[in-house]
Amino acid sequence: MSIDGDVPGLVVVGGSDAGIMAGLWAKLTNAELPVTVVVRDAYPNFSICGLPFYLSGETPEWQMLAHRTVSQLEDAGLRLLLGHEAFAIDPSARTVHLRDPEGDCHDLAYDRLVVGTGARSIVPPLPGVGLPGVHVLHTIDQARELDLAIERGARRAVLIGAGYIGTELADALTRRGLEVVLVEMAPAVLTTFDPDLGELVGAEVRRHGVSVRTSTTVERIAADEKGLRVLGSRGLDTPADLVIVAVGVRPETDLLVSAGAATGARGAVIVDAGMLTGLDDIWAAGDCVQTHHVLLDSPSYLPLGTTAHKQGRVAGINAAGGHASFAGSCGTQAVKVFDLVAARTGLRGGEAAAAGYQPVSVTVTADDHKAFYPGATPVHVRLTGDRTTRRLLGVQLIGAYGAEISKRIDIAATAIHAGHTVDVLSDLDLSYTPPLSSPWDPIQVAGQAWTGSVT
Ligand SMILES: Cc1cc2nc3c(=O)[nH]c(=O)nc-3n(C[C@H](O)[C@H](O)[C@H](O)COP(=O)(O)OP(=O)(O)OC[C@H]3O[C@@H](n4cnc5c(N)ncnc54)[C@H](O)[C@@H]3O)c2cc1C
């Protein structure tokens, strides 16, 4: 059976960052092109990145997480098939097989197809991980379930994994009044930062009453009449009303792989710079594909909303007959945890060495703005450059919320993207007024320290 009114054109599978960007940019490129977006759930164009702030209560209603409403998307020319799951693609017949909300199956013809099926949370095979009360967080429905559990009286939470989602959730659940235990296998929280910098965030989390158990591996989850217990190495035995597993994501590639697409880094689908898979007229974007990293020769997997937006745009333009290519990422990310912000871009020293660079790193601390104006706070900067080429390779920043940490990392991200040397940082014409900065921004202070040490 075909979907009523089915007109081949562009079909997009996935209605989050990548899929919606693809649909909207396709319409901007060719307003006449029929664009149908197939979405498994009922939440097109919602901010997954906003889920921790809904759970904290800072964003009181989940509906507020919509980047655009359904009617705004329809006004932009997208036909939405909500609650429809694509379960197979037939590339030779140019058809997507769908299951509708009633469970009936339909075929949807396409001329061109973009797949943005995203990622799903990794659930390690721990005994007890399937017990009621054990959650993951990747969708609106999962966030609403968690919210309900809190509303029904959950008071003790154990978070497994202290990456950026685990630390954001430690903040969120503490704000909701829960007692939180944060368990991390690595020696410090925020494993995408050097451990001594991650520890600054660890101290911030502890300062707000969270119990942080680093170098600790969860081995099993048990249930008794009093609730859940999380057990692991180093004597971990913690009671909980709810447990959230936040140990990363894996690309959702079943559709593309069964249609014949090849996979690469971390099992993500291989695409070219135009986001074309190896399959005829099938593009893919976002968390389901691997990413070109501007500093690495090898492909990487960087499941981030920023990347999904850019890749979705490129896929949509190309699928609509335009010409665009994805320029690559440098792994820029920022996270706010209580009153601190941690941000990074590019490679850390160890990552750079593993990629064949000759990294030299310096660490400086500089005020975010002139000390004579009230409220100055320290910004910790670790800057890494290549000894031979002097190319800027990476920056990690930790500082107070309000100290413009994320926009400061964007200076470094821009410089890396442009292929600048560390020395060029001092030439950049950055803004200055005493309440906001200094004549030399902390990024430039770090650059000068590096330049002075690598002669
Ligand atoms: C809690 C949390 C916080 C985050 N915070 C940040 C942040 O601060 N900054 C940042 O850059 N990134 C952040 N991310 C990552 C970011 O949310 C993802 O990188 C981004 O959502 C990826 O977008 P996507 O469109 O590729 O995939 P997803 O958002 O995973 O969406 C996949 C879409 O495909 C649909 N779908 C999947 N399979 C099918 C199917 N078979 N048929 C039909 N539809 C299907 C889904 O319903 C969904 O609409 C966060 C992620 C989480 C979980």
Side-chain angles (χ1 to χ4, degrees):
M1 173 159 89
S2 286
I3 297 263
D4 286 346
D6 173 8
V7 186
L10 173 63
V11 170
V12 178
V13 178
S16 186
D17 296 347
I20 294 296
M21 276 302 112
L24 291 174
W25 280 93
K27 285 306 279 187
L28 288 172
T29 306
N30 178 357
E32 304 307 316
L33 182 73
V35 177
T36 301
V37 184
V38 179
V39 192
R40 182 166 56 187
D41 60 27
Y43 314 107
N45 209 194
F46 272 69
S47 171
I48 305 303
C49 310
L51 296 179
F53 312 104
Y54 159 61
L55 287 171
S56 72
E58 292 156 291
T59 301
E61 306 293 339
W62 61 266
Q63 291 89 340
M64 294 165 73
L65 297 177
H67 291 297
R68 292 171 192 79
T69 61
V70 166
S71 53
Q72 285 171 328
L73 294 168
E74 287 171 346
D75 288 348
L78 305 186
R79 179 172 72 134
L80 299 173
L81 295 179
L82 303 183
H84 284 67
E85 174 156 33
F87 61 89
I89 299 167
D90 181 344
S92 52
R94 292 184 181 246
T95 304
V96 182
H97 302 299
L98 307 180
R99 195 173 294 109
D100 73 15
E102 282 72 46
D104 295 329
C105 294
H106 307 265
D107 290 345
L108 181 62
Y110 66 83
D111 295 316
R112 294 176 164 209
L113 180 66
V114 175
V115 177
T117 42
R120 71 173 73 157
S121 305
I122 293 174
V123 180
L126 296 173
V129 82
L131 286 167
V134 181
H135 300 255
V136 292
L137 180 66
H138 199 80
T139 65
I140 299 286
D141 279 335
Q142 289 163 351
R144 293 178 69 190
E145 273 171 38
L146 262 167
D147 182 59
L148 195 63
I150 298 169
E151 288 296 308
R152 286 186 174 151
R155 285 292 158 258
R156 302 163 302 173
V158 173
L159 306 176
I160 304 176
Y164 76 92
I165 295 177
T167 49
E168 280 182 344
L169 285 173
D171 175 334
L173 299 187
T174 303
R175 282 176 204 271
R176 281 292 282 276
L178 278 79
E179 285 169 32
V180 179
V181 180
L182 181 60
V183 187
E184 169 58 53
M185 210 160 66
V189 310
L190 279 189
T191 49
T192 50
F193 288 74
D194 289 345
D196 59 324
L197 297 177
E199 180 44 34
L200 297 175
V201 177
E204 174 73 357
V205 173
R206 282 191 203 93
R207 190 170 76 81
H208 284 83
V210 174
S211 166
V212 180
R213 301 286 304 261
T214 48
S215 304
T216 303
T217 307
V218 172
E219 288 159 354
R220 68 190 172 95
I221 304 167
D224 59 27
E225 65 288 349
K226 292 188 195 142
L228 298 167
R229 295 198 83 78
V230 180
L231 300 112
S233 66
R234 298 166 70 104
L236 179 75
D237 182 355
T238 304
D241 302 314
L242 64 85
V243 175
I244 307 177
V245 181
V247 297
V249 295
R250 69 165 51 98
E252 176 94 58
T253 58
D254 295 354
L255 262 187
L256 283 167
V257 168
S258 38
T263 56
R266 303 255 306 270
V269 168
I270 297 172
V271 286
D272 66 13
M275 307 313 296
L276 196 55
T277 65
L279 305 170
D280 278 351
D281 288 329
I282 303 182
W283 288 258
D287 283 6
C288 63
V289 303
Q290 68 178 28
T291 301
H292 167 60
H293 192 297
V294 296
L295 291 167
L296 298 176
D297 275 339
S298 53
S300 54
Y301 183 58
L302 292 168
L304 287 167
T306 46
T307 310
H309 272 81
K310 292 183 190 79
Q311 294 178 337
R313 171 181 171 271
V314 169
I317 291 173
N318 290 336
H323 301 283
S325 59
F326 177 60
S329 296
C330 36
T332 310
Q333 65 182 113
V335 59
K336 174 184 173 294
V337 183
F338 294 106
D339 301 325
L340 271 193
V341 175
R344 66 162 283 181
T345 188
L347 305 175
R348 296 189 278 157
E351 293 165 340
Y357 290 102
Q358 293 182 288
V360 176
S361 297
V362 295
T363 305
V364 303
T365 301
D367 282 345
D368 72 313
H369 64 254
K370 290 304 295 179
F372 61 73
Y373 187 86
T377 54
V379 178
H380 305 280
V381 189
R382 179 156 303 152
L383 183 147
T384 302
D386 183 75
R387 178 187 295 283
T388 309
T389 63
R390 308 184 73 79
R391 185 170 182 189
L392 178 63
L393 296 176
V395 174
Q396 300 167 73
L397 289 181
I398 312 273
Y401 180 55
E404 316 235 12
I405 299 299
S406 75
K407 290 305 120 188
R408 289 189 151 119
I409 207 69
D410 292 345
I411 300 168
T414 307
I416 290 172
H417 189 86
H420 286 324
T421 62
V422 176
D423 312 289
V424 166
L425 292 175
S426 287
D427 297 331
L428 298 178
D429 182 20
L430 305 180
S431 63
Y432 163 55
T433 180
L436 293 175
S437 189
S438 296
W440 294 115
D441 188 87
I443 292 276
Q444 293 175 312
V445 174
Q448 289 162 7
W450 190 93
T451 298
S453 70
V454 183
T455 48

